[in-house]
Amino acid sequence: MTSKVSVDLSGAAQTMLTTLYLKALDADFRRPVLADRFAKAAIDRIDYDWADLGITQRWAPLITVRTAQYDIWAAQFLAAHPNSTVIHLGCGLDARVFRLDPGPDVAWFDVDFPEVIALREQIYPTRAGYQLVASSATDPTWLDQIPADRPVLLLAEGISMYLTEHDGVALLQRIVDRFPSGELQIDFYNWFGIRTQKSQTLIRRSGSTLYWAVNDPSEVLNAVRGIRLLAATTLFGASTFAKASRTFRAIKPLLRLAPPVRNTLQYHRYAFGPAAR
Ligand SMILES: C[S@@+](CC[C@H](N)C(=O)[O-])C[C@H]1O[C@@H](n2cnc3c(N)ncnc32)[C@H](O)[C@@H]1O
């Protein structure tokens, strides 16, 4: 029997254990949102007291609705750009590269802190066209490893809020300036999410701090030169929200009169470079 892998993470790096766990719980639902069998296998490989995260299965859609929405957008990008580069920033232990299984002409880079990448290496197999980059996203030098000759998809799920606005905008601008064309698929917390961070179990227990609030795509369009909006939605507006449990969906009408709460979790998609004809 293979021995389990131990983890010792803190701060922002630890938060990916919660997102992984919720995906694994979702995989056991009769009607899963994401059905991520890789997440389920991954948590079985890790020596961790998952109950200690203090989160239960009814909250799984908080994460799986988002991940499933970005899977759809990423699959659309890959269908339109079979010869491209994917940068999956703040990948944590997300198994997107295995779920989407991109074709042979896609170069896929999973990027996260060195301690997260070290854990990833022990959990998931390698595959052709797939590389791990162990670096903070805000260190400008990691991008030098990524060939800049093809359209790029920067997919940054669940990471923007851990960056300062200054670092986040600089990072997006570096991507836009380096590649000939591509997409930025990135989610944000609005001001309400940042202000109420101490009440969020995932954040409080990890000891991490959230910084960057984005309330609306116009803020990103004004801050990053050369991008255009393709789509923007929220947890409650995402097409994948319809797959959440009835109990979870029941929250939506209750938030009708509370727009800052309803719009806390923002999912954005931008393009840059020449528009496809
Ligand atoms: C909430 S988890 C999301 C993980 C994964 N994207 C998912 O959706 O399951 C946040 C991830 O962002 C990573 N992260 C946060 N700040 C980072 C930084 N400055 N550089 C690289 N990774 C970072 C953390 O290590 C963690 O893996």
Side-chain angles (χ1 to χ4, degrees), residues 34-253:
L34 189 65
D36 185 349
R37 65 187 167 88
F38 303 99
K40 196 166 153 45
I43 69 156
D44 288 340
R45 290 270 291 113
I46 298 174
D47 184 13
Y48 192 77
D49 182 1
W50 296 100
D52 204 36
L53 292 172
I55 194 141
T56 56
Q57 58 180 33
R58 80 189 147 117
W59 296 110
L62 271 180
I63 296 303
T64 54
V65 166
R66 176 180 78 183
T67 303
Q69 179 64 68
Y70 281 101
D71 274 6
I72 291 172
W73 285 348
Q76 289 169 351
F77 176 89
L78 291 171
H81 304 92
N83 191 332
S84 58
T85 298
V86 176
I87 301 174
H88 189 208
L89 201 64
C91 57
L93 285 181
D94 181 80
R96 180 163 280 121
V97 70
F98 302 107
R99 288 194 304 274
L100 297 185
D101 191 19
D105 296 323
V106 171
W108 186 295
F109 297 85
D110 269 354
V111 185
D112 210 303
F113 288 126
E115 61 271 31
V116 175
I117 294 300
L119 184 57
R120 246 197 114 84
E121 281 173 328
Q122 296 177 76
I123 301 292
Y124 293 117
T126 54
R127 50 175 281 152
Y130 175 55
Q131 287 183 56
L132 298 168
V133 179
S135 171
S136 170
T138 56
D139 176 345
T141 59
W142 64 265
L143 252 185
D144 299 343
Q145 308 174 40
I146 319 274
D149 55 341
R150 293 187 281 175
V152 71
L153 166 60
L154 177 87
L155 207 168
E157 185 189 354
I159 171 172
S160 71
M161 49 298 283
Y162 300 98
L163 310 178
T164 62
E165 178 176 352
H166 175 270
D167 284 349
V169 168
L171 171 65
L172 296 183
Q173 194 66 62
R174 274 198 294 279
I175 300 288
V176 171
D177 292 347
R178 180 173 168 82
F179 294 89
S181 63
E183 288 191 20
L184 310 176
Q185 299 185 3
I186 178 166
D187 70 305
F188 297 100
Y189 275 20
N190 72 357
W191 66 267
F192 183 82
I194 301 295
R195 201 172 290 172
T196 58
Q197 59 182 286
K198 293 285 176 246
S199 65
Q200 299 167 39
T201 311
L202 176 147
I203 307 303
R204 203 179 49 245
R205 293 210 176 201
S206 68
S208 53
T209 306
L210 307 183
Y211 300 97
W212 187 13
V214 169
N215 300 297
D216 172 297
S218 68
E219 295 177 14
V220 183
L221 291 166
N222 288 333
V224 182
R225 293 180 306 279
I227 61 172
R228 53 190 185 276
L229 183 66
L230 292 179
T233 187
T234 63
L235 167 69
F236 298 108
S239 61
T240 48
F241 179 75
K243 297 175 86 179
S245 66
R246 197 183 312 175
T247 333
F248 192 84
R249 279 184 283 124
I251 304 172
K252 183 177 176 177

